Structure formats: C-alpha cells, structure tokens
Amino acid sequence: MVRPRFAKLPPAQQQAILQAALDEFARHGFHDASLNRVIETAGISKGSMYYYFDGKAELYAHVASTQIGELFAQVGPPPQLDTGDADRFWSVIEDYYLRLMKALLASPQRAALFRGWATASKDPAFQRAQGELEQASVPWIEQAVAAGQRVDAVRKDLPASLLIAVVLGMGEAMDLWMLSQDPDDEGLPTVVGSLVSMIRGAVSA
Amino acid sequence: MVRPRFAKLPPAQQQAILQAALDEFARHGFHDASLNRVIETAGISKGSMYYYFDGKAELYAHVASTQIGELFAQVGPPPQLDTGDADRFWSVIEDYYLRLMKALLASPQRAALFRGWATASKDPAFQRAQGELEQASVPWIEQAVAAGQRVDAVRKDLPASLLIAVVLGMGEAMDLWMLSQDPDDEGLPTVVGSLVSMIRGAVSA
DNA sequence: CACCAGTCTAGACCGGTGGTCGAATTCGTC
DNA sequence: GACGAATTCGACCACCGGTCTAGACTGGTG
C-alpha cells in the first residue's frame, strides 16, 4: 500500500508525482518504466520516493487503482445482472462493456496504462502488490459468473475458476485487439456486440 | 539467429550451454532470466556467450525452437483440417490438442518454458528475435481458421485477426489454467474436450 | 624456426536498473 | 532557543544486458 504519509503531502506535489508516474507507466508499461525517470520528472529525490511508496510495484498499484476509481466514477457502478432471463443478462453485459470501452477510448493515456496491465500482471514484483487491485475486478467477475448461472446464461458443468480464467483471457485479448484497432464511436457498438457474442458462445450452456 | 560457430563447438559444451539456458529460462521466464547465471552455470565467460549468440533473445529463441522441434517430433505434424464437415474439424482439433497437452505434461521443464512464452512475447527485446518462432505457430493458426471457415466450422462475419487474437488468448488462459491444475492422464481428455467446446462456442458460426 | 592471420576466451568495463542508508535539513512543540 | 521527530537528499549497493580489448591458442607458410 501507499504509505499514509503520502496523503499529508501538499496536493500539488502529490499530483506532480502521480502525473509523472502515470506518464511513465502509460508510455512504457510496468517493467520498462524507469523509477529514476519518474523521480526526475516529478522533481523529487529517490529517498523521498521510497519514503512515500514501498517500491515500484506499490507506485504502479496506486496509480492504477486511482485510474480505475476515476473510470468507475465516470461509467457508474457495475449493474445488477440477475434481474431477468439469459438474454437480458447478456444485453446488460454488452451495454456495460460498451460504456466502459467508450470511456476508455476517450482518455488515451488511461487506455495505455491498462494496455500495459497484461504485461505487468506477469511480473513477479508486481503480483505481490496486485492484491488490492485484484479484489476490485476478480470478485466482480466471480459474481457476474454466479449471476449468469442463476439465470441460466452461463454453463454450470465447468469449474468457476476455469470460466473466469477463460473470460479474463478473452477479455484481455479483445481489449488489446480493440485498442490496436482504434475504432471510431460508430463502429464501436458493432465490435462490442461481436465480442460479447463470442464470450456468450464460449460460456453459455 | 544462433551463429554458425556454435555448431562447431564440442557437443558436450553445446549441451552444457543449452541445458543451463533451458534451466534458467524455464525457471524464471524470459525477462527475469539472468544471462550472468547462465554463463556461470555453463562455465563459460561472457565473451564466449556473446561470441556464439547475439544476445539474450537469440539464446532464448534457439532454446525455444529446439524444444518446439522436439515436441513436434514427439506429437507429429499438425493434421489436415478441411477434410470433412464441421464436426470432423472440431474433433480433429480436439484430438491434436489432447496429444499436445499430453506430451507437454510429460516434460515439466518444457511446459515451464512455454508457460513463460506469453511473458516473453510482450518483451520488446524478444519480439525482434521472434520472427523465426512466430512463423511456426501463428501461420498454422491462420490456416486452421481459414480451413474452419471453409468447412463452415468457423464464423465468417468477423476479421480473422480478431478470431486469431481471441483464440490465442483463450488458449493461453486455458493452458495456464490446465498447467496449474496438473490434471492426471484420465481427467485430461474431459478437460480438453471442455476447452475445445468453449473455443467452438466462441468462434463457430 | 619465426611470423602471421584467424579463432576463441576471459573479464574489466559501461550505462542503466530497483532499492538501501546515513547524514543533513526542516518542522512542530515545549 | 532547544530538542526530537519528520522529511529530504544523493551517494552507494548489487545486479542487469551488452561492449570491448588484450591475449592465448591454432594452423599455415616462408
């Protein structure tokens, strides 16, 4: 975790550090980002950086969770999923996915940060600090799978861990593909519709 | 590419280098593997290593392509896919997938090496040297998708690049999940059957 | 024999990395 | 002002992948 001391810094300096870190992580991804460049850009010394953050991974985790928070603040909380039948389930998923992607495409730097997520998630140094972030995304997917099974939208003959792993893998591949295509706002709904139809095909009963 | 000089080394020393590199890459993945540890284990100097290999990426590429070669020698070449209808297509896929996974589970070190592939494929230093390896896997998937479309086993309304990206993502997630489950030989066919059914659901028409 | 070009090895060295640490400085409070 | 805690600083550490030079060894030639 970020150390509590950080909150006591003048907001301007907090912002300088976070902005420098966001720039660096968005541009280079987790592993190739340089802490030395961050402290140089932010105008602080290495000692200060390690006084406020336990290390590179903690800094990344803090930046990423801040960005996630802002993204959710824009898009709104995840919707209720088990309020209808299977078709309803999937159309709610598609709608929410579409809104998320729209918001993401609207802020390229944030998109670049999340694009580097896949890389970061395989880095041992990062995985130790990932706990907090994971608890914001994986449980939601777990609940979504459970809700889908409740309304007969998701098959029940496979372990939930496998369904989740596959959905995450598909999502990652789709996100990377979409971000590399840079679709306009008109084409986006069609693309998202196709992606959700693929997920539906993979996991539905 | 590996330099031709390497082939002129005494086989024992070739083996020492390749074994040390395989151990290191399998244990740590591409990025976190240390060339210094490899040369120490192999008992050669850094100068010699760079005399025989252009760098870390070339060494990894050589080790990996050797392992791929041995794997294919065990399992046999990819099968002909467009010799029947859709059901035939998918059963051939499932059969081949099953044989590949069986062979992979039989040699844990090789499995660990390939598990690190995903990590490696995102490393810029690695991508430059990936050409040779890529030409052995991606084109095969492209052909498989094209063959599947020919026999109406794969939907034609989406770009091939998306289908391939999603299938690769699913495959990666499934492989990781399977290797983490460490299934016995009895359970394997069932699991592989489920996985192929998920891929089929995602990409079929 | 002497000489030489080519092959090969050793390891010092380079700029970079993330991370540590003790000293110096600033700040809050008596 | 004085004292202790909070904060800042940058030198320093071990390690990384990669470069480079000095020299040992080899086989061939006059």
Side-chain angles (χ1 to χ4, degrees):
Chain A
M1 263 304 292
V2 54
R3 309 214 171 160
R5 306 156 171 168
F6 184 68
K8 291 197 286 185
L9 270 180
Q13 202 169 352
Q14 288 187 34
Q15 269 311 303
I17 295 174
L18 292 181
Q19 190 59 48
L22 175 58
D23 287 347
E24 180 72 13
F25 284 128
R27 192 173 343 254
H28 298 287
F30 174 71
H31 206 121
D32 292 339
S34 162
L35 220 47
N36 289 334
R37 278 195 296 260
V38 173
I39 67 175
E40 194 177 355
T41 308
I44 64 171
S45 71
K46 186 168 277 197
S48 295
M49 177 61 90
Y50 276 87
Y51 184 70
Y52 291 112
F53 293 92
D54 260 347
K56 189 184 184 180
E58 304 285 348
L59 177 61
Y60 183 91
H62 188 251
V63 170
S65 77
T66 301
Q67 293 300 314
I68 287 186
E70 292 183 17
L71 183 66
F72 273 68
Q74 275 182 28
V75 177
Q80 203 60 25
L81 282 169
D82 47 1
T83 60
D85 61 356
D87 283 333
R88 163 90 182 146
F89 174 87
W90 286 110
S91 87
V92 171
I93 291 267
E94 184 174 331
D95 178 62
Y96 194 62
Y97 194 0
L98 180 58
R99 279 193 289 148
L100 273 177
M101 287 313 296
K102 264 187 185 162
L104 211 47
L105 288 172
S107 77
Q109 198 175 40
R110 196 173 288 163
L113 182 73
F114 292 144
R115 199 179 312 151
W117 192 293
T119 323
S121 69
K122 271 137 195 160
D123 195 289
F126 174 71
Q127 286 180 336
R128 263 171 258 136
Q130 201 182 9
E132 182 200 1
L133 301 178
E134 215 169 53
Q135 282 164 9
S137 60
V138 169
W140 183 78
I141 296 191
E142 280 173 2
Q143 287 172 20
V145 167
Q149 288 177 331
R150 239 173 282 134
V151 298
D152 288 325
V154 174
R155 60 198 292 178
K156 298 169 185 157
D157 60 333
L158 294 178
S161 68
L162 173 60
L163 292 174
I164 290 167
V166 170
V167 169
L168 280 176
M170 293 180 84
E172 186 183 317
M174 289 169 175
D175 293 349
L176 288 177
W177 183 85
M178 211 177 329
L179 292 173
S180 77
Q181 297 289 319
D182 197 31
D184 47 13
D185 280 358
E186 297 168 21
L188 195 59
T190 314
V191 175
V192 169
S194 303
L195 299 186
V196 173
S197 82
M198 291 181 81
I199 296 180
R200 180 175 186 168
V203 304
S204 64
Chain B
M1 265 304 293
V2 54
R3 308 211 171 162
R5 308 155 172 168
F6 184 68
K8 290 197 287 188
L9 270 180
Q13 203 168 354
Q14 288 188 34
Q15 270 311 305
I17 295 175
L18 292 181
Q19 191 59 49
L22 176 58
D23 287 347
E24 180 72 12
F25 284 127
R27 191 171 345 250
H28 299 286
F30 175 71
H31 206 121
D32 292 339
S34 161
L35 219 48
N36 289 333
R37 278 195 296 258
V38 173
I39 66 175
E40 194 178 352
T41 307
I44 63 172
S45 71
K46 188 168 274 196
S48 296
M49 177 60 91
Y50 276 87
Y51 184 72
Y52 292 111
F53 292 92
D54 261 347
K56 190 184 183 179
E58 304 287 346
L59 177 61
Y60 182 91
H62 188 253
V63 169
S65 78
T66 301
Q67 294 299 315
I68 286 186
E70 291 182 18
L71 183 66
F72 272 66
Q74 275 182 27
V75 177
Q80 203 61 25
L81 283 170
D82 47 2
T83 60
D85 60 359
D87 284 333
R88 163 91 182 144
F89 174 87
W90 287 110
S91 85
V92 172
I93 292 266
E94 184 174 331
D95 178 62
Y96 194 64
Y97 193 0
L98 180 57
R99 277 193 290 149
L100 273 176
M101 287 314 295
K102 263 188 187 160
L104 214 47
L105 287 172
S107 75
Q109 197 174 41
R110 195 174 289 162
L113 182 74
F114 293 144
R115 201 179 312 152
W117 192 292
T119 324
S121 69
K122 271 141 193 158
D123 194 288
F126 175 71
Q127 286 178 338
R128 264 171 256 134
Q130 199 181 11
E132 180 200 3
L133 300 178
E134 210 168 58
Q135 282 163 11
S137 60
V138 170
W140 183 78
I141 295 190
E142 281 173 2
Q143 287 172 20
V145 168
Q149 289 177 330
R150 239 174 283 135
V151 297
D152 289 324
V154 174
R155 60 199 290 179
K156 299 169 185 157
D157 60 333
L158 294 177
S161 67
L162 173 60
L163 292 174
I164 290 167
V166 171
V167 170
L168 281 175
M170 293 181 81
E172 188 183 316
M174 289 168 174
D175 293 348
L176 289 177
W177 183 85
M178 210 178 327
L179 293 173
S180 77
Q181 297 289 320
D182 196 31
D184 48 12
D185 280 0
E186 298 168 21
L188 194 60
T190 313
V191 175
V192 169
S194 304
L195 300 185
V196 172
S197 82
M198 291 180 82
I199 296 179
R200 180 175 185 168
V203 304
S204 65

